[in-house]
Amino acid sequence: MKIWIKTFARFREVFGDRFTVEVPLDATVLQVAKTVECMHDGGRGMLMESDHTIRRSVILLRNGRRIPGEGREQVRLSEGDELTIYPPVAGG
Amino acid sequence: MIKVTSGDFDVQATIDAAARRSIGAFVTFVGVVRDDGIERMYLEADCFAAEEELSCIRTEAVDRFGVETVDIIHRVGDLRVGDPIVLIIVGASHRRAAFQACEYIIDRIKESVPIWKKEYTPDGTRWVPGEHEDKKTSG
């Protein structure tokens, strides 16, 4: 299935601002994040920890709504969903 | 007013617009671009989501501290040293709640509002790490 990916700031510079990835049906957020990170050598370690979990400081939104930290990696996405990936924020 | 904008802001006009007879104190916070050896700074935001998050923070501040008004304006785009970045104005019947709410708001902005800063130095560029950053994502 096709998932839209949107990124900002340093992630945008590495991965691109909006694009699609092809993942298996009912893929989880974790699977999609791994797919994105593997697309560019320069992105290695930006999204994932060495134990293959998503970095806690990375913020994720599904169709514009934040995915809460607890259990977020196992959230299953649907065809056409948009996963927004924020680097740690630095406003103010 | 809650706004993410490339334009400058007018502190006094924002206070005037918020003024009401029950308010006894306005606390104003203005964040500015500090000279850390940089030539300029570029601020990027997910603007719609940022304004939504700022609105949530305003609601939190009103609920927690009982303040009467909260205005937050955050700038994006290219800024130079000394340029204002963010304006927070909190109006309350008494000063203590206004000070507490103002500090709470700037801390929450740094924690969760989708805005990022890129610094341009004579040696190149660097993304400013967030206060809630871990080491690997700051490269």
Side-chain angles (χ1 to χ4, degrees):
Chain A
M1 66 179 181
K2 184 183 289 186
I3 301 293
W4 285 94
I5 305 295
K6 192 159 89 172
T7 72
F8 289 85
R10 78 181 65 128
F11 290 175
R12 172 181 50 74
E13 290 183 341
V14 173
F15 300 114
D17 61 352
R18 195 164 189 267
F19 53 94
T20 58
V21 294
E22 281 290 336
V23 291
L25 202 62
D26 291 330
T28 62
V29 166
L30 180 63
Q31 288 174 284
V32 174
K34 280 182 182 174
T35 301
V36 171
E37 184 169 272
C38 289
M39 291 173 67
H40 298 275
D41 286 342
R44 289 193 187 281
M46 293 184 89
L47 306 181
M48 311 298 298
E49 297 280 5
S50 55
D51 65 358
H52 305 295
T53 57
I54 300 174
R55 290 189 170 282
R56 288 175 57 188
S57 58
V58 172
I59 299 170
L60 299 164
L61 292 79
R62 180 188 188 182
N63 300 327
R65 293 288 157 206
R66 286 200 190 206
I67 308 174
E70 198 68 27
R72 66 179 181 165
E73 294 182 340
Q74 299 313 315
V75 170
R76 294 193 181 279
L77 300 176
S78 302
E79 167 75 27
D81 274 354
E82 181 181 75
L83 184 69
T84 303
I85 308 175
Y86 291 155
V89 300
Chain B
M1 177 193 299
I2 298 290
K3 192 156 85 173
V4 174
T5 175
S6 59
D8 201 353
F9 44 71
D10 183 331
V11 177
Q12 190 58 52
T14 309
I15 291 173
D16 290 345
R20 57 184 75 166
R21 293 173 64 89
S22 55
I23 290 177
F26 280 109
V27 168
T28 300
F29 174 87
V30 179
V32 301
V33 179
R34 183 177 54 240
D35 186 357
D36 285 336
I38 67 171
E39 295 170 336
R40 63 187 175 94
M41 175 182 282
Y42 171 74
L43 284 95
E44 177 175 332
D46 185 352
C47 290
F48 179 75
E51 289 188 347
E52 273 197 337
E53 188 67 15
L54 290 172
S55 294
C56 290
I57 292 170
R58 171 170 61 183
T59 301
E60 290 172 13
V62 169
D63 291 346
R64 278 176 178 245
F65 303 101
V67 296
E68 296 199 27
T69 65
V70 173
D71 294 280
I72 310 171
I73 303 173
H74 203 301
R75 296 180 69 189
V76 292
D78 284 308
L79 298 177
R80 299 194 173 276
V81 171
D83 282 346
I85 300 173
V86 60
L87 170 66
I88 302 168
I89 296 176
V90 180
S93 53
H94 299 284
R95 68 184 185 283
R96 186 175 301 278
F99 275 118
Q100 289 174 332
C102 193
E103 184 171 29
Y104 175 83
I105 290 164
I106 188 62
D107 287 346
R108 288 284 291 114
I109 288 172
K110 289 178 177 292
E111 180 181 273
S112 70
V113 178
I115 297 174
W116 302 272
K117 297 176 185 141
K118 188 175 192 178
E119 293 178 337
Y120 290 77
T121 76
D123 299 323
T125 62
R126 62 189 179 215
W127 287 98
V128 176
E131 292 187 359
H132 299 267
E133 183 112 5
D134 51 35
K135 286 180 182 169
K136 206 61 177 284
T137 52
S138 62

